[in-house]
Amino acid sequence: MAKFLPFILFTVFTNAAAQVMLKYGMIQLGPLSFAGVNPIVKILQIVFSPWVFLGLLTFVISMASHLFVLSKVELSYAYPFLSLAYVAVAVFAYFIFREDLNAMRVGGIALICLGTVFIAQGGSKIHGEDDVAALSTDSAQEVSR
């Protein structure tokens, strides 16, 4: 499991980076309003603005990394690590956007980190061909019923 931790953390940090880019892109665009404009044109303007587009592209990279991780480790092990993106976003937002990081948020961040450590300690399996074969056999048996 530990050998896939760099890929899991890459997924977490690209997810957090995408959020920061999207926020920065929306700040650059200013207050959002659909008044007097074609909504489709407005959505396209938003999506193709440089920072929003880069944020969306980074999400795609994050998702590709996550798919790789899911092919190697248990979902119940990999998915909770994504909660660390909340931690990274809160820290980035504090330093980049000067958002508040009060005692309640720091306490929540500590609980998220502690929970992730507990989950990481409980991981036990790496997916391999045996897991795929077992899953295929189980699926075939259910279909034949």
Side-chain angles (χ1 to χ4, degrees):
M1 292 283 204
K3 73 180 186 177
F4 296 106
L5 196 55
F7 295 102
I8 293 170
L9 293 177
F10 177 79
T11 301
V12 167
F13 286 111
T14 51
N15 185 300
Q19 288 292 338
V20 171
M21 289 179 220
L22 291 173
K23 174 65 176 176
Y24 187 75
M26 293 311 293
I27 289 171
Q28 298 299 308
L29 290 172
L32 188 58
S33 172
F34 286 93
V37 296
N38 182 333
I40 306 248
V41 171
K42 184 67 173 184
I43 290 169
L44 290 173
Q45 287 173 339
I46 294 167
V47 167
F48 289 105
S49 66
W51 284 101
V52 171
F53 188 79
L54 188 58
L56 294 172
L57 182 62
T58 304
F59 262 135
V60 170
I61 293 166
S62 180
M63 185 55 60
S65 174
H66 190 58
L67 291 172
F68 172 76
V69 167
L70 291 177
S71 75
K72 301 296 182 183
V73 302
E74 294 175 331
L75 177 63
S76 61
Y77 176 78
Y79 188 69
F81 276 94
L82 291 181
S83 65
L84 294 177
Y86 295 126
V87 175
V89 166
V91 172
F92 289 153
Y94 174 77
F95 287 108
I96 296 170
F97 303 118
R98 301 289 179 219
E99 292 185 7
D100 189 28
L101 196 56
N102 59 35
M104 292 294 282
R105 288 185 182 174
V106 170
I109 286 169
L111 289 172
I112 289 169
C113 292
L114 185 62
T116 304
V117 167
F118 285 152
I119 290 167
Q121 298 304 315
S124 62
K125 272 178 118 176
I126 296 175
H127 291 303
E129 292 178 11
D130 292 340
D131 293 329
V132 173
L135 185 59
S136 298
T137 302
D138 290 345
S139 296
Q141 287 173 349
E142 284 189 31
V143 169
S144 67
R145 289 182 200 175

